[in-house]
Amino acid sequence: MSLKMRYNIDHKSPVPLHAQAEQMLRELITEEEYQNGKNIPNEVDLAKMLAISRTTLRMAINKLVFEGLLVRKKRAGTKVATGAVSSKSNNWLSFSQEMKLRGIPIKNFELHVSWETPDISLAHFFDIKQDKPVLKMKRVRGRPEEPFVVFESYFHPRVGLTLDDDFKRPLYELLEQEHSVIATLSKEEISAISASKEIAEKLRVPVGSPILFRKRFVFDQGERPIEFNVGYYKADSFVYTVESRR
Amino acid sequence: MSLKMRYNIDHKSPVPLHAQAEQMLRELITEEEYQNGKNIPNEVDLAKMLAISRTTLRMAINKLVFEGLLVRKKRAGTKVATGAVSSKSNNWLSFSQEMKLRGIPIKNFELHVSWETPDISLAHFFDIKQDKPVLKMKRVRGRPEEPFVVFESYFHPRVGLTLDDDFKRPLYELLEQEHSVIATLSKEEISAISASKEIAEKLRVPVGSPILFRKRFVFDQGERPIEFNVGYYKADSFVYTVESRR
DNA sequence: AATCTGTTTATGTACATACATATTTGATTT
DNA sequence: AAATCAAATATGTATGTACATAAACAGATT
């Protein structure tokens, strides 16, 4: 059966032709042959088949190329990228959702929430007095069979979190929906350290093992501090990726 | 001074007009007024100013929109996304200069340059045949009294580096000035690993010590790969900082 | 003051067309 | 068999044109 028969484009629909073409391509490339590296039909033919202009078709392809789903090569044609789905900039800061995307089920091994008095540097970061208590959340998370990260978060009193909040929900969803706090900016510091006795225990590794250590300072739209967070990741369980441009 | 005066586009250059326009836009939007929310000139006018077609200009804008740097809104115009990165070009990627800034004198403990045959994944990244040799540079660097990082770099044959180049010069200065290669984009992966025997020896630490491991993929303006680089940093000697916004 | 209404404006969609260029393929010559 | 060269092919670049549409704006009406 020809492509034209299976995927045809409705010129009278209110949804733009390039969007229809994009959708059709998304479906097309799920097919096994394309997943295995077969070229999609060339632009000129495909445009003809769909009865749209090459320019319009190109808009659709461009989007998928930019998303990293397709790769183009001159003369060689266009095919599905090896390595599949990346889609980076979404899921900003959401650990659980990112893990879900990667197909890794997440289990909470421990979850403690308490009021603590901040140390001097935390009080300074939050710009509050040291006698003002802050909410601390500590979590041990990982795969069902083994934990691989220890998180400690401290929240600015301003955000209004209390012990009654449901910390099993995705954190940034909780902040946004229940407290109207939108995390917008994060400054992070990443380094490698040795596992302390406590961390080693929680992550079930020998004392002194390599740990990826991450400090994170989180701010809202007004660049006001809302969270201070540290994470201890078991080596090899986590890779941090960054893209930068000049 | 008009835009046309400051940013003009060379119709006879081998670099595509849309790429030139893209570059010009990237520079333009670092300016304070645009960072503060002022619309960029509208497409019709801007195209006229740059003496390119609106279609071509649109290709450039599209790319920045996809990247999340610009947001378009009908009738309202196009402006810099709230909180988009200004990413100043200070010391981008230059290890030695950054260390200098921090007041840390740097010594090269080892420096080897050689031609190597790429492994399969490197050949794939560079998009070359495996029998094509690539230049490899290996360095051990650190404070005068102790090394703290091992670097291994592989360069795409296209950049034209040879054993005759002066690798004691800052690398990106060398690339830019002697080979007209401008590193523009880097994708990095950071993780923690244990020191192998070789790395442990070079960094003068026990085997199994924590190491901050960084892979870096470097691209030029045309997003063509130019360098693959890995770094092994002694724990506590190096902190990686990132700032990200949404 | 609030609401409706038409106008204006900048982006959004879509087409036909043309030539450039990288890469493969195959034919030709050495 | 190896090297050279030419053709074919799919993407890449670029233009000019046209009309659609959402949102902002301004003026008239309630």
Side-chain angles (χ1 to χ4, degrees), chain A residues 8 38 49-50 65 74 89 100 107 114 129 142 183 237:
Chain A
N8 69 0
K38 188 186 168 189
M49 279 193 250
L50 300 174
V65 167
K74 261 191 199 166
S89 60
K100 207 176 203 173
K107 182 181 164 187
S114 58
K129 294 231 171 71
S237 66

Side-chain angles (χ1 to χ4, degrees), chain B:
Chain B
M1 199 195 289
S2 78
L3 281 175
K4 190 177 181 175
M5 307 240 61
R6 283 183 302 160
Y7 302 103
N8 67 359
I9 275 184
D10 181 3
H11 282 252
K12 288 162 76 181
S13 157
V15 23
L17 303 184
H18 68 80
Q20 290 184 53
E22 183 194 327
Q23 190 52 42
M24 170 255 145
L25 282 168
R26 294 196 120 96
E27 285 168 33
L28 180 69
I29 64 178
T30 62
E31 287 178 22
E32 208 183 339
E33 40 184 353
Y34 296 112
Q35 289 290 327
N36 291 341
K38 188 185 170 189
N39 280 346
I40 66 172
N42 78 66
E43 296 177 356
V44 178
D45 289 352
L46 189 51
K48 211 162 275 173
M49 278 191 251
L50 300 174
I52 60 179
S53 70
R54 186 179 159 212
T55 317
T56 301
L57 173 61
R58 224 153 187 284
M59 290 174 70
I61 297 178
N62 272 333
K63 201 156 171 229
L64 301 191
V65 169
F66 278 141
E67 276 180 36
L69 253 73
L70 293 177
V71 284
R72 294 205 240 233
K73 211 171 167 186
K74 262 191 199 167
R75 155 80 219 219
T78 303
K79 59 180 183 174
V80 175
T82 54
V85 271
S86 52
S87 84
K88 295 177 191 112
S89 57
N90 47 5
N91 298 299
W92 194 80
L93 284 177
S94 172
F95 177 79
S96 44
Q97 277 163 357
E98 195 180 337
M99 290 300 136
K100 206 176 203 171
L101 252 180
R102 297 192 198 182
I104 302 171
I106 286 301
K107 182 180 164 188
N108 278 316
F109 287 83
E110 292 181 35
L111 171 58
H112 312 285
V113 186
S114 59
W115 290 101
E116 304 276 339
T117 47
D119 66 20
I120 184 118
S121 69
L122 183 60
H124 186 255
F125 170 59
F126 278 167
D127 195 21
I128 57 174
K129 295 231 169 72
Q130 257 199 278
D131 56 10
K132 181 105 184 175
V134 298
L135 200 76
K136 174 183 179 178
M137 176 174 64
K138 185 166 182 171
R139 287 197 284 200
V140 181
R141 314 180 82 178
R143 293 190 181 77
E145 66 281 9
E146 54 150 20
F148 64 77
V149 61
V150 176
F151 279 126
E152 281 173 24
S153 284
Y154 300 85
F155 298 95
H156 194 290
R158 191 187 333 99
V159 309
L161 281 174
T162 71
L163 297 178
D164 295 332
D165 278 288
D166 178 13
F167 289 95
K168 281 165 197 145
R169 292 174 58 185
L171 185 56
Y172 292 90
E173 184 190 299
L174 179 67
L175 289 176
E176 224 168 299
Q177 295 177 5
E178 304 302 324
H179 298 276
S180 308
V181 170
I182 300 176
T184 307
L185 170 65
S186 98
K187 298 184 185 182
E188 314 188 34
E189 298 176 3
I190 297 146
S191 55
I193 61 171
S194 298
S196 67
K197 196 176 144 211
E198 189 209 338
I199 296 299
E201 213 164 83
K202 297 212 185 294
L203 295 180
R204 302 176 192 172
V205 296
V207 172
S209 306
I211 298 291
L212 187 74
F213 177 59
R214 169 164 72 167
K215 280 190 195 180
R216 184 156 55 183
F217 302 87
V218 184
F219 303 82
D220 70 3
Q221 290 140 316
E223 305 233 347
R224 300 182 305 181
I226 59 176
E227 184 198 356
F228 172 68
N229 173 272
V230 298
Y232 302 85
Y233 297 84
K234 199 171 131 175
D236 295 329
S237 67
F238 193 73
V239 176
Y240 193 87
T241 63
V242 193
E243 208 178 297
S244 66
R245 259 175 226 269
R246 70 164 179 182

